[in-house]
Amino acid sequence: MEGLHGVLEGLAELSADRLGRAAGSDIECLVILHMRKLPPAMAGSDERVIRLEGVETLLDDGPGLHAVRSGLPVIVNDAVDARWPGYGLKLAEQGFAGLVAVPLELGARATAVLVFFAADSWALSEPIVLEAMGLADEGRRALSAAVRVAEAELKSENLAAALEHRTAIDLARGILMAQDGCSAQEAFDMLCKASNNRNQKLHALAMEIISRFAPAPGPAHFDP
């Protein structure tokens, strides 16, 4: 997933630079990616925007979250915005006067948002907002490709983990067969029974048995 984070960082920095040059003012950018069953991934062109993401998470409210949840762009032209008074205060404290949050649709398994922060509210004119939306559309294409790669990597990692788990379980079953003189099915049933009784994952139990029995010479007994 390191490659995905690199894409997020590059997108945040490039988008901030391009919109800042178009606006003739300092612009910072935050990119937040939500993938199914994974914690959010993010990158920002400045540490201040990362801190502001933490404020939204703490409040469970704010323009970035609203853009993601509604699927619509959000424009804040004044830090003193009645919709998010708590967030607006923190926005001003970080030196920003306004922002534009643009959601990105990345298919059924992922969503993202680009948030552009401006030190001067006048910088967020209508042409600059349209430019921000255009940059977000370019970012959507780049992120869609990055998400597909990340999903393939994650699938490969999950497969490797599953094979590792299967190997451990087979080894533990073999140990029980040798120690107790039971069949493969009886050994597996013992593992399942012990896993349920102890409320312990089968793989973790198998690793425990391997570490307990494999190095030990002589007969031993496993109590499920």
Side-chain angles (χ1 to χ4, degrees), residues 6-181:
V7 171
L8 295 177
E9 286 184 335
L11 179 59
E13 292 172 3
L14 179 63
S15 298
D17 179 68
R18 288 179 59 181
L19 195 64
R21 285 190 283 109
S25 180
D26 289 338
I27 300 287
E28 302 297 345
C29 180
L30 173 69
V31 185
I32 308 172
L33 173 66
H34 299 266
M35 292 178 64
R36 190 175 62 178
K37 297 182 180 180
L38 291 174
M42 73 188 73
S45 59
D46 187 275
E47 283 297 321
R48 293 175 297 164
V49 301
I50 299 294
R51 288 195 288 270
L52 285 168
E53 192 283 331
V55 172
E56 275 200 292
T57 299
L58 183 63
L59 297 174
D60 192 30
D61 196 16
L65 283 173
H66 184 79
V68 170
R69 291 166 178 170
S70 68
L72 299 173
V74 173
I75 302 172
V76 175
N77 286 316
D78 189 340
V80 185
D81 193 308
R83 292 173 293 179
W84 304 288
Y87 179 85
L89 178 63
K90 298 298 182 182
L91 183 69
E93 286 179 358
Q94 297 300 323
F96 297 113
L99 62 82
V100 179
V102 187
L104 311 180
E105 287 295 333
L106 303 175
R109 295 182 296 275
T111 58
V113 62
L114 260 66
V115 189
F116 296 94
F117 298 83
D120 303 298
S121 58
W122 58 261
L124 298 177
S125 62
E126 183 176 343
I128 296 304
V129 170
L130 292 175
E131 180 74 15
M133 295 176 69
L135 288 172
D137 188 57
E138 292 181 20
R140 178 187 60 78
R141 293 194 291 270
L143 280 181
S144 293
V147 165
R148 287 195 295 270
V149 172
E151 288 177 337
E153 291 177 348
L154 186 61
K155 184 177 181 180
S156 178
E157 291 171 1
N158 289 341
L159 177 60
L163 291 173
E164 179 184 345
H165 289 187
R166 177 61 183 268
T167 300
I169 292 169
D170 286 345
L171 284 172
R173 183 168 59 176
I175 290 170
L176 294 182
M177 291 169 65
Q179 293 289 341
D180 292 4

